[in-house]
Amino acid sequence: MRALTVRPGEKDSLEVREVPEPAPAVGELLVQGLAVGVCGTDREIVRGEYGWAPPDREWLVLGHESLGQVRQAPPGSGFSAGDLIAGVVRRPDPEPCGACARGEFDMCRNGRYTERGIKDIDGYGSQVWCVEADYAVKLEPHLRRVGVLMEPATVVAKAWEQVERVGGRSWFEPRRALVMGAGPIGLLAALLGTQRGLEVHVLDRVAEGPKPVLVRELGAVYHAEDAEQVVSAVRPDVVIEATGANGPVLASLTGTAPYGVVCLTGVSPAGRRMTVDAGALNREIVLQNDAVVGSVNANLRHYHQAADALAKADPSWLERVITRRVPLERATEAFTPQPDDVKVVIEL
């Protein structure tokens, strides 16, 4: 079978190679791979900036945004041949920290977790793969064309859960949400915001193309103006920051309504500096009872939340979030961004 592989730490080592078809271990599903999504983490790995191969070799099967169809399932697993599934990315350390031991492996405290397609274990970027039944989540059959959005949707499900948990420290009934960025994370954050009945605003740099259309079709408001101007006008109760860009991040921290909650999901590049009035920032957060929380990855609970959210969404809208599909034999094309790209998917 063919698999999408890379040698972590080596720039431009991406390769589609022949590898042996896996045999499922006890408790594992044998899965026909359908598609993997490509995100910024994958591009960092391909550029040699990130990633770890399994301990016994130099190359790694890429792909953590998975979609597959079960070919074989063990009795009593809760899965059957033909089921549409996504595989969970992270695994806790064999000697887990307190969070991992309680199933909150997305909150690992010791850093010794592993991640499919990223850190120490192969990903889902192969024509056939195996996954433990306990780390697989079933999707509705009608999501076959769009279920590859599952993993980014889990990141967003966790972000919303974090917002609601932090807001729950007191009476919390948000009305307006602002999402910074209209990439896949931002669009899915807006989707889950509208599913919660909120007035949703989305800010991005582009004024034309698929992003404004997708946002408006959700019933949300699209903005392409200066971040500070938008935050000041909207005065959101909740901000989901999905750009990692300095300007939007800072505007998020200083412009919410009183008792606002900001969830940062974008990873900022190092080396870009801004001059910040730390005293004014501190005063704003303290005197308004604001809260800021970072959020990354997801655990099994968030996968089920994401599966429910995708099942309720309009499949035709989800399909247009995927703006480019590339066959496995031309996988390198998926790592060359195009101007109108939102989500790029490699079909296996």
Side-chain angles (χ1 to χ4, degrees), residues 90 106-107 115 155 158 263-265 267 294-299:
R90 185 172 287 193
D106 55 312
M107 295 291 202
E115 291 178 316
V155 173
K158 177 184 174 181
C263 183
L264 305 177
T265 68
V267 180
S295 181
V296 70
N297 207 269
N299 66 43

Side-chain angles (χ1 to χ4, degrees), residues 77-110:
S77 66
F79 295 91
S80 303
D83 285 345
L84 192 68
I85 67 163
V88 176
V89 176
R90 185 172 287 193
R91 304 290 184 277
D93 189 278
E95 297 181 6
C97 68
C100 289
R102 290 161 176 79
E104 306 282 348
F105 43 80
D106 55 312
M107 295 291 202
C108 181
R109 300 291 297 277
N110 61 26

Side-chain angles (χ1 to χ4, degrees), residues 222-271:
Y222 189 85
H223 303 268
E225 303 87 31
D226 174 76
E228 288 189 11
Q229 178 183 344
V230 173
V231 172
S232 177
V234 174
R235 292 289 283 170
D237 304 299
V238 174
V239 176
I240 307 288
E241 209 297 316
T243 70
N246 289 352
V249 169
L250 185 60
S252 300
L253 301 180
T254 58
T256 63
Y259 191 61
V261 181
V262 176
C263 183
L264 305 177
T265 68
V267 180
S268 302

Side-chain angles (χ1 to χ4, degrees), residues 68-341:
Q69 187 167 28
V70 176
R71 282 176 34 177
Q72 179 182 321
S77 66
F79 295 91
S80 303
D83 285 345
L84 192 68
I85 67 163
V88 176
V89 176
R90 185 172 287 193
R91 304 290 184 277
D93 189 278
E95 297 181 6
C97 68
C100 289
R102 290 161 176 79
E104 306 282 348
F105 43 80
D106 55 312
M107 295 291 202
C108 181
R109 300 291 297 277
N110 61 26
R112 294 196 294 268
Y113 57 83
T114 55
E115 291 178 316
R116 297 285 301 252
I118 301 173
K119 186 183 181 196
D120 295 335
I121 46 177
D122 283 332
Y124 300 107
S126 57
Q127 292 177 308
V128 181
W129 41 269
C130 295
V131 65
E132 312 94 310
D134 290 343
Y135 288 92
V137 175
K138 195 180 300 185
L139 296 171
E140 293 292 335
H142 74 270
L143 296 174
R144 186 180 180 90
R145 288 281 294 171
V146 297
V148 73
L149 295 173
M150 177 72 157
E151 193 277 339
T154 69
V155 173
V156 170
K158 177 184 174 181
W160 276 109
E161 181 188 83
Q162 292 297 307
V163 166
E164 289 159 354
R165 285 186 170 187
V166 172
R169 64 199 160 122
S170 180
W171 174 82
F172 189 56
E173 194 173 279
R175 295 187 297 115
R176 290 183 302 277
L178 174 61
V179 177
M180 297 286 204
I185 297 295
L187 288 172
L188 292 169
L191 170 68
L192 269 67
T194 59
Q195 288 181 345
R196 284 163 165 76
L198 299 177
E199 175 190 318
V200 177
H201 297 254
V202 179
L203 170 69
D204 199 272
R205 292 179 298 178
V206 300
E208 299 178 348
K211 292 179 178 181
V213 175
L214 288 165
V215 168
R216 290 168 185 145
E217 287 182 0
L218 286 176
V221 181
Y222 189 85
H223 303 268
E225 303 87 31
D226 174 76
E228 288 189 11
Q229 178 183 344
V230 173
V231 172
S232 177
V234 174
R235 292 289 283 170
D237 304 299
V238 174
V239 176
I240 307 288
E241 209 297 316
T243 70
N246 289 352
V249 169
L250 185 60
S252 300
L253 301 180
T254 58
T256 63
Y259 191 61
V261 181
V262 176
C263 183
L264 305 177
T265 68
V267 180
S268 302
R272 296 183 180 178
R273 299 193 175 191
M274 291 182 68
T275 300
V276 176
D277 185 339
L281 177 60
N282 178 75
R283 182 181 179 86
E284 174 74 21
I285 293 173
V286 171
L287 294 184
Q288 298 293 334
N289 283 300
D290 292 341
V292 182
V293 61
S295 181
V296 70
N297 207 269
N299 66 43
L300 193 59
R301 179 176 68 255
H302 307 123
Y303 275 78
H304 288 290
Q305 292 170 2
D308 290 342
L310 293 182
K312 292 187 293 186
D314 179 352
S316 66
W317 184 89
L318 292 171
E319 184 152 359
R320 283 180 294 114
V321 173
I322 301 171
T323 48
R324 195 154 50 105
R325 297 178 184 267
V326 177
L328 180 59
E329 59 268 23
R330 302 207 318 266
T332 54
E333 297 175 17
F335 295 85
T336 305
Q338 302 298 314
D340 282 346
D341 278 348

Side-chain angles (χ1 to χ4, degrees), residues 5-11 13-15 17 45 58-60:
T5 68
V6 67
R7 291 185 294 279
E10 184 176 330
K11 185 179 180 181
S13 62
L14 188 70
E15 177 185 0
R17 71 167 74 195
I45 294 172
E58 296 180 349
W59 54 271
L60 169 77

